[in-house]
């Protein structure tokens, strides 16, 4: 399951909903920059590292592609029933996020000045960067007793404060010792025995390090093709991708956003959709659905099936628009890749091909919902399998 936009598509809700049909849920990318929300009745859970299948009693796997911040993991586990820990397995090959990486993240942002990315400041970029330099411990190295001298020297060259590393390492290895293992082997065993695993992405396709709107992206890969590489499993086990998309667009942090809207209209949409970051609380930038960008995301992920979220939000909005093409210097572009690099210059071409206004989802998919589903299927060449019309778990329709 992957996000098709700029993140926050509602992946947490959809994973929780679908997890019932799986034996395990595995996160495979990103770190605690992610915030995946699950709402059950009046209670709301935000997952940053623990897979969003936690409240469905499933095996919880954190694959090697994830950057693990042990402090966040400990906090999340403290908010879940004690037995959730028994179900958790963290791959020994995972990278770690140290407190120094968080300070490093802030310093890099400061150095960028006006071109700051607006990272979540969770240390994700530095953690993967130090991994690429082969200086950092993996989870298994930390548990075995890691020699931090080279890493500490490197951080000190950058005038970063390393005084907290010793106590951090002691606490982190204590936590991780009980949950570290071989997720790749576990996935292979579960599927080999006829079971199934739901792979949960963080972030969205347009934030992919290689194929997103670089440099305004996250520090890892976010697409379906990364699943086997990140987990260390055969590509044959990765299965069919499901894309999750919101019926309008949001983006947190800086970077081009062709369909962005401002003013009172944006305020209103942000309020109706409660568009505030699940990790940082920042107001999300909001805009209309972008078919050009979505077609690119569908192609990149090989998605044939999608889940659409937040239809209840657009049921409260009149005059909804959809971007079907970009205009760049007088010519019309429908291929996202042709516009990449110049996304901040393109003018969206808007249409109003459906109306969800006033749609009532109480008795199944209403006519406005059917019109929306038909439009998405036709424009993107996909099948809509799930429609979400409220944050609560039960506000979901399977088609
Ligand atoms: P994720 O990062 O993709 O898991 O998405 P987030 O949890 O960061 O953001 C999605 C937000 O929308 C959360 O607050 C969800 O509770 C909420 N949400 C998900 N689906 C729906 C929906 O269909 N309708 C409404 N109103 N809210 C939804
Ligand atoms: P989920 O999984 C939305 C954005 C940040 C910033 C950029 C780089 O909840 O969809 P980073 O901290 O990763 O170095 O920040 O990426 N970003 C997200 N935006 N949802 C997320 O995750 C995000 N994770 C990172 O806002 O623009
Ligand atoms: Mg989120």
């Amino acid at each position: 399951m992957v996000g098709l936009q700029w993140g926050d598509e509602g992946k947490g809700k959809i994973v929780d909903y679908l997890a019932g049909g799986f034996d395990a849920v595995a996160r495979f990318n990103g770190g605690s920059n992610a915030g995946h929300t699950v709402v059950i009745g009046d209670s709301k859970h935000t997952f940053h590292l623990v897979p969003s299948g936690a409240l469905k009693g499933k095996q919880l796997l954190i694959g090697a592609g994830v950057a693990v911040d042990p402090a966040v993991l400990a906090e999340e586990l403290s908010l879940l029933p004690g037995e959730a820990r028994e179900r958790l397995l963290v791959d020994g090959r995972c990278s770690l996020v140290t407190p120094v990486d968080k300070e490093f993240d802030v310093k890099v942002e400061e150095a960028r000045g006006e071109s700051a990315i607006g990272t979540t400041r969770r240390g994700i970029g530095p953690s993967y960067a130090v991994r690429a330099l082969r200086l950092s411990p993996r989870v298994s190295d930390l548990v075995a007793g890691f020699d931090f001298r080279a890493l500490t020297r490197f951080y000190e060259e950058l005038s970063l404060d390393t005084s907290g590393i010793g106590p951090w390492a002691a606490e982190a290895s204590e936590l991780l010792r009980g949950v570290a293992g071989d997720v790749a082997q576990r996935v292979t065993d579960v599927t080999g025995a006829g079971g199934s695993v739901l792979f949960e992405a963080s972030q969205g396709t347009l934030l992919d390090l290689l194929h997103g709107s670089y440099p305004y992206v996250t520090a890892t890969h976010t697409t379906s093709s990364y699943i086997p590489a990140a987990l260390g499993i055969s590509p044959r086990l990765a299965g069919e991708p499901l894309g999750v998309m919101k019926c309008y667009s949001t983006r947190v942090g800086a970077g081009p956003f062709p369909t962005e809207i401002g003013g009172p209209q944006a305020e209103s949409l942000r309020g109706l959709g409660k568009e505030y970051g699940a990790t940082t609380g920042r107001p999300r930038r909001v805009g209309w659905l972008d078919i050009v960008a979505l077609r690119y995301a569908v192609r990149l992920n090989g998605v044939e099936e999608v889940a659409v979220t937040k239809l209840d939000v657009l049921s409260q909005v009149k005059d909804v628009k959809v971007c079907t093409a970009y205009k760049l210097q007088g010519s019309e572009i429908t291929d996202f890749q042709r516009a990449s690099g110049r996304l901040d210059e393109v003018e969206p071409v808007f249409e109003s091909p459906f109306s969800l206004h006033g749609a009532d989802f109480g008795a199944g998919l209403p006519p406005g919902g059917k019109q929306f589903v038909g439009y998405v299927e036709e424009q993107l060449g996909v099948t809509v399998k799930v429609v979400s019309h409220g944050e609560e778990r039960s506000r979901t329709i399977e088609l």
Side-chain angles (χ1 to χ4, degrees):
M1 196 229 50
V2 292
L4 295 179
Q5 294 154 314
W6 313 98
D8 303 327
E9 296 89 350
K11 298 179 293 293
K13 172 175 172 173
I14 300 298
V15 167
D16 168 75
Y17 180 79
L18 296 177
F22 293 82
D23 299 288
V25 181
R27 267 281 302 274
F28 66 90
N29 70 332
S32 58
N33 46 354
H36 296 183
T37 315
V38 176
V39 178
I40 301 162
D42 294 332
S43 76
K44 178 169 162 176
H45 303 260
T46 305
F47 295 102
H48 300 288
L49 283 167
V50 173
S52 305
L55 305 169
K56 282 270 179 81
K58 300 299 169 177
Q59 290 185 51
L60 304 169
L61 310 178
I62 297 182
V66 176
V68 175
D69 183 333
V72 174
L73 186 60
E75 163 82 16
E76 271 194 75
L77 288 173
S78 76
L79 298 172
L80 288 167
E83 52 78 37
R85 197 191 158 104
E86 314 296 312
R87 288 185 271 130
L88 179 69
L89 188 67
V90 179
D91 199 284
R93 289 158 283 218
C94 285
S95 304
L96 287 158
V97 181
T98 70
V100 189
D101 293 327
K102 290 184 225 180
E103 188 197 340
F104 196 171
D105 199 345
V106 173
K107 280 204 167 177
V108 175
E109 282 285 88
E110 282 168 1
R112 288 181 201 278
E114 283 187 355
S115 56
I117 288 167
T119 71
T120 59
R121 302 190 164 206
R122 293 299 186 270
I124 306 305
S127 167
Y128 287 124
V130 178
R131 171 71 179 255
L133 292 172
R134 286 141 293 168
L135 280 170
S136 54
R138 299 166 298 173
V139 163
S140 58
D141 300 323
L142 185 75
V143 169
F146 185 71
D147 179 352
F148 277 93
R149 279 176 299 181
L151 179 60
T152 305
R153 272 199 294 272
F154 169 73
Y155 281 145
E156 283 170 358
E157 283 291 322
L158 299 171
S159 305
L160 293 161
D161 176 9
T162 57
S163 58
I165 286 206
W168 170 85
E171 217 171 292
S173 58
E174 177 69 28
L175 168 76
L176 292 167
R177 188 163 294 124
V179 291
D182 188 341
V183 167
Q185 188 62 52
R186 177 71 67 84
V187 171
T188 308
D189 289 347
V190 168
T191 52
S196 58
V197 183
L198 177 56
F199 303 118
E200 175 180 5
S202 62
Q203 290 83 50
T205 299
L206 304 170
L207 291 174
D208 184 86
L209 177 62
L210 284 176
H211 302 288
S213 53
Y214 185 85
Y216 297 99
V217 294
T218 190
T220 181
H221 307 293
T222 58
T223 58
S224 61
S225 45
Y226 190 46
I227 293 171
L231 284 157
I233 58 168
S234 161
R236 293 179 203 284
L237 296 181
E240 291 299 315
L242 175 77
V244 183
M245 56 176 273
K246 177 150 54 177
C247 57
Y248 52 94
S249 307
T250 59
R251 175 164 200 166
V252 197
F257 185 3
T259 62
E260 183 168 19
I261 52 178
Q265 203 176 25
E267 286 298 322
S268 162
L269 186 55
R270 184 177 301 116
L272 290 169
K274 296 192 202 155
E275 295 296 352
Y276 295 88
T279 296
T280 59
R282 289 180 288 178
R284 293 175 181 151
R285 298 160 65 193
V286 297
W288 300 124
L289 194 68
D290 186 340
I291 294 291
V292 181
L294 277 166
R295 274 203 205 107
Y296 173 68
V298 162
R299 194 190 83 201
L300 212 58
N301 287 290
V303 157
E304 292 180 356
E305 296 184 342
V306 301
V308 293
T309 64
K310 298 206 139 177
L311 270 67
D312 56 309
V313 175
L314 287 195
S315 77
Q316 300 167 74
V317 182
K318 282 186 185 154
D319 307 322
V320 170
K321 290 183 194 161
V322 175
C323 168
T324 52
Y326 299 152
K327 265 208 169 130
L328 185 63
Q329 293 179 333
S331 59
E332 217 165 86
I333 296 179
T334 51
D335 178 356
F336 184 82
Q337 253 183 325
R338 269 190 61 206
S340 71
R342 302 184 70 178
L343 279 179
D344 44 5
E345 290 171 57
V346 302
E347 284 286 321
V349 176
F350 285 124
E351 290 178 19
S352 296
F354 58 82
S355 173
L356 279 161
H357 190 241
D360 176 359
F361 293 88
L365 196 61
K370 285 187 183 144
Q371 200 188 17
F372 175 78
V373 165
Y375 178 76
V376 165
E377 291 187 335
E378 184 218 311
Q379 290 292 315
L380 301 181
V382 297
T383 305
V384 174
K385 293 303 257 191
V386 182
V387 172
S388 169
H389 57 91
E391 58 187 2
E392 214 277 331
R393 180 190 262 175
S394 64
R395 295 193 180 272
T396 316
I397 300 169
E398 242 179 294
L399 300 177

